[in-house]
Amino acid sequence: MSGLSANRRRFLESAAKGGAAIACAGLAIGLLADRSRALPATAIRPPGALPEDDFLGACVRCGLCVRDCPYDTLKLADLADGPAAGTPFFEARAVPCEMCEDIPCVAACPTGALDPGLTEIEKAKMGLAVLIDQENCLNFQGLRCDVCYRVCPLIDKAITLELSHNQRTEAHAFFIPTVHSDECTGCGKCEKSCVLEEAAIKVLPLHLAKGELGAHYRWGWKEKEKAGEALIDDIIDLPDRGYQGMPSEQRLKGFKP
Amino acid sequence: MSLDDPGREAIAEKGWLLAHKWLLLRRGAQLFFLGIFLVGPLTAFWLVEGNLASSRTLDLLPLTDPLLVLQSLAARHLPETTALLGAVIVLAGYLVVGGRTYCSWVCPVNVVTDAAHWLHIKLGLAKGWQPKPGTRYGMLALVLLGSAVTGTIFWEVVNPVTIVHRALVFGLAGAWLIIAAIFLFDLLVSRRGWCSHLCPVGAFYGQINRASLLKISAAKRETCDDCMDCFAVCPEPQVITPALKSKGSPVVSHWACTNCARCIDVCSKDVYRFTLRGMETRP
């Protein structure tokens, strides 16, 4: 170390120490910041919220959206609540979103963390309702509860009742509440009003509620409709064993019941 | 000279009230800046909504912490006009009154660290760990770099300033942990550790000091009797010497001065007073 004066050496040492301490602090905060990205499945962001990763770079945690929410739906996350501290969220089972037409929470946001481009609340995608427990849902047992369907602000669009035959009674129909992801805003009124002790229908974040096709995947019949004809040759029709000698109109494909 | 009891001569000279004038005004201001946020939740008359991160006064005036906007930009989000305008207004305001005036007159954490310091001195505890002067800049760099790397508003994960203020205004309980941690840190680990050595928010607002208007001046420094009381009460004593003991300008021009004006209070010789940048003629 003959090349370094004592002063220079002291300076470098203290700079290295300080730098290391700050780097450690940075690492700790970084881990916390990273953990804060994991939004709990029951925490729903306000309408118009940017995707979670962008949201955390945009929301300054001022709470103006919370203040302007007329139904006290929104609240700010406390340190131990789960969502990043100070960010707005709601829990549908506690207080759902009433889907105000003027969307005051979005109007209040000074930063654009709630996208001002959202002008029609019906276009909001806060999450997606999923009828998650078919074993306990009353309608799935053949009863006419229908409450989630009745309270849906977009009744017959976001939730429809699909009929099917009730094989248990042989005389009745099942009315199956069916959520349509292109219409559902994730407001959570269905989850709030589910009559079970624990809701059978729940609003989930879109990434949990939705599957996603591989980018290469094509639905053959849609491609056919688009192109006006099948994109591939007809499937080679192999002879169906056991039907030889039958007239062709009687040949049912596959297994005969 | 009374380092463990600074201001005794000033009290004898001017009376208790005048020797605590600026301290009382400052506590009043801290209470005021918390109070205006509490008027809404308590009376449903929404005077000021939001918190120190971003607020809206009388449904009209937007104010936003410029450091938050900087972090958001570093995280590659361009905030909407309201937040940008709010940050410009805040910057303009602190260019007049001095950047770190935020620290001593507005920030709620100051009350916590001042209380810790009071007890620290009462108990006669040792200074403890004293981080190097450059540490705050390191923290500030960390905050901006962290925002850029993680794409989140980095400091808000732990920022005691907004966590405490938000908790008081929105009735969240978790802030008491942060308050306790800062109090214990300043009491037992590091004298004046948080506000004067580590806080990146203070380091940021200090940079506004470099161009701000309202300053403290050791205008009558020739009457100084070297009692050292101002050094004892000053949260950033390194700012005093260049103004008090040099042949140059008597204006306290160091960026770290918080304009808390305790030096004016405790000086029995009335050496200090408020002045405006450029107004002070050299003696």
Side-chain angles (χ1 to χ4, degrees):
Chain A
M1 289 308 228
S2 56
L4 293 175
S5 72
N7 263 341
R8 197 171 153 77
R9 188 188 162 129
R10 241 197 326 273
F11 170 77
L12 286 176
E13 261 183 26
S14 85
K17 261 189 229 164
I22 290 169
C24 288
L27 210 63
I29 302 168
L31 285 173
L32 282 174
D34 202 48
R35 225 195 49 174
S36 75
R37 273 183 234 261
L39 194 62
T42 51
I44 303 168
R45 292 292 186 203
L50 300 176
E52 188 64 10
D53 272 354
D54 300 334
F55 185 79
L56 293 177
C59 172
V60 294
R61 299 120 214 251
C62 66
L64 285 171
C65 54
V66 173
R67 287 291 187 232
D68 282 7
C69 175
Y71 297 96
D72 287 339
T73 299
L74 295 175
K75 50 187 184 174
L76 286 187
D78 207 343
L79 291 181
D81 275 347
T87 55
F89 74 107
F90 69 98
E91 286 169 311
R93 189 65 164 168
V95 191
C97 172
E98 296 287 340
M99 289 177 59
C100 313
E101 261 181 47
D102 50 348
I103 330 181
C105 48
V106 173
C109 180
T111 65
L114 306 182
D115 183 2
L118 178 74
T119 50
E120 295 163 67
I121 190 64
E122 288 81 11
K123 298 268 164 66
K125 286 275 173 264
M126 296 172 263
L128 178 61
V130 180
L131 209 163
I132 218 163
D133 186 359
Q134 306 187 349
E135 291 170 339
N136 286 303
C137 170
L138 299 183
N139 275 42
F140 263 87
Q141 307 310 313
L143 304 176
R144 291 299 304 274
C145 163
D146 296 2
V147 168
C148 56
Y149 163 78
R150 296 274 167 214
V151 298
C152 179
L154 297 172
I155 183 170
D156 284 325
K157 288 192 277 187
I159 303 185
T160 55
L161 292 178
E162 302 294 323
L163 267 66
S164 62
H165 179 60
N166 185 340
Q167 283 129 332
R168 179 172 62 83
T169 63
E170 288 291 350
H172 303 91
F174 287 126
F175 290 76
I176 302 300
T178 306
V179 180
H180 302 274
S181 65
D182 51 341
E183 295 281 355
C184 174
T185 64
C187 74
K189 296 209 71 157
C190 52
E191 178 177 344
K192 168 69 182 173
S193 50
C194 177
V195 301
L196 302 188
E197 286 296 308
E198 176 74 41
I201 189 165
K202 289 189 165 86
V203 176
L204 298 178
L206 281 170
H207 73 276
L208 289 183
K210 291 277 284 179
E212 190 183 334
L213 282 178
H216 63 287
Y217 208 96
R218 300 285 181 274
W219 302 112
W221 59 91
K222 285 186 185 166
E223 297 299 321
K224 186 175 174 182
E225 200 178 285
K226 243 192 284 173
E229 55 174 351
L231 300 182
I232 53 167
D233 298 332
D234 277 346
I235 296 166
I236 304 161
D237 197 16
L238 296 171
D240 304 315
R241 289 173 201 282
Y243 297 100
Q244 287 93 339
M246 268 193 202
S248 63
E249 63 273 14
Q250 288 180 18
R251 284 189 194 176
L252 293 172
K253 283 204 171 168
F255 185 77
K256 194 179 177 190
Chain B
M1 165 117 183
S2 48
L3 278 183
D4 54 342
D5 188 16
R8 199 190 304 160
E9 282 111 347
I11 295 172
E13 195 79 27
K14 307 189 273 194
W16 189 92
L17 205 62
L18 273 179
H20 292 84
K21 180 174 107 183
W22 290 104
L23 180 65
L24 292 173
L25 281 173
R26 206 157 61 79
R27 294 286 177 250
Q30 288 166 329
L31 207 60
F32 172 78
F33 285 112
L34 180 61
I36 52 175
F37 284 91
L38 286 173
V39 169
L42 294 178
T43 68
F45 169 68
W46 295 98
L47 179 61
V48 185
E49 293 171 85
N51 57 45
L52 286 179
S54 191
S55 66
R56 193 178 58 209
T57 302
L58 289 172
D59 249 338
L60 184 72
L61 173 73
L63 295 174
T64 307
D65 187 331
L67 181 58
L68 278 167
V69 167
L70 270 187
Q71 290 178 76
S72 195
L73 289 170
R76 293 173 299 285
H77 173 80
L78 178 64
E80 291 291 318
T81 319
T82 311
L84 294 177
L85 181 67
V88 169
I89 295 172
V90 168
L91 273 177
Y94 284 111
L95 271 172
V96 175
V97 299
R100 291 208 69 197
T101 302
Y102 177 72
C103 298
S104 58
W105 291 77
V106 180
C107 178
V109 174
N110 174 271
V111 182
V112 180
T113 58
D114 270 2
H117 183 69
W118 177 83
L119 188 59
H120 178 94
I121 296 299
K122 272 270 178 270
L123 296 176
L125 298 173
K127 261 185 177 178
W129 178 46
Q130 296 290 286
K132 292 276 184 296
T135 312
R136 293 188 258 202
Y137 284 127
M139 292 292 283
L140 186 53
L142 171 77
V143 162
L144 295 174
L145 196 69
S147 297
V149 170
T150 62
T152 65
I153 295 182
F154 197 64
W155 190 239
E156 285 314 285
V157 177
V158 287
N159 185 4
V161 178
T162 45
I163 289 179
V164 167
H165 192 257
R166 194 191 301 123
L168 292 171
V169 174
F170 284 84
L172 310 173
W176 296 108
L177 287 174
I178 301 280
I179 292 181
I182 295 261
F183 183 85
L184 290 175
F185 178 76
D186 264 31
L187 178 67
L188 301 172
V189 180
S190 174
R191 178 185 298 171
R192 297 252 189 230
W194 188 258
C195 297
S196 299
H197 292 92
L198 293 176
C199 178
V201 181
F204 170 78
Y205 277 88
Q207 304 319 304
I208 305 176
N209 267 18
R210 294 178 189 277
S212 62
L213 200 57
L214 186 66
K215 297 282 173 192
I216 301 256
S217 169
K220 291 194 333 194
R221 60 187 173 190
E222 68 281 357
T223 65
C224 171
D225 62 356
D226 293 328
C227 75
M228 300 292 283
D229 280 5
C230 54
F231 285 92
V233 293
C234 183
E236 306 273 359
Q238 75 275 21
V239 311
I240 294 178
T241 312
L244 185 65
K245 294 295 168 192
S246 77
K247 294 270 175 285
S249 165
V251 173
V252 176
S253 54
H254 194 287
W255 68 267
C257 174
T258 68
N259 278 355
C260 74
R262 270 302 273 161
C263 51
I264 305 181
D265 276 348
V266 299
C267 184
S268 61
K269 303 292 177 204
D270 286 330
V271 166
Y272 297 97
R273 61 182 168 83
F274 270 115
T275 187
L276 299 178
R277 174 189 290 271
M279 292 284 283
E280 204 64 50
T281 47
R282 287 171 69 154

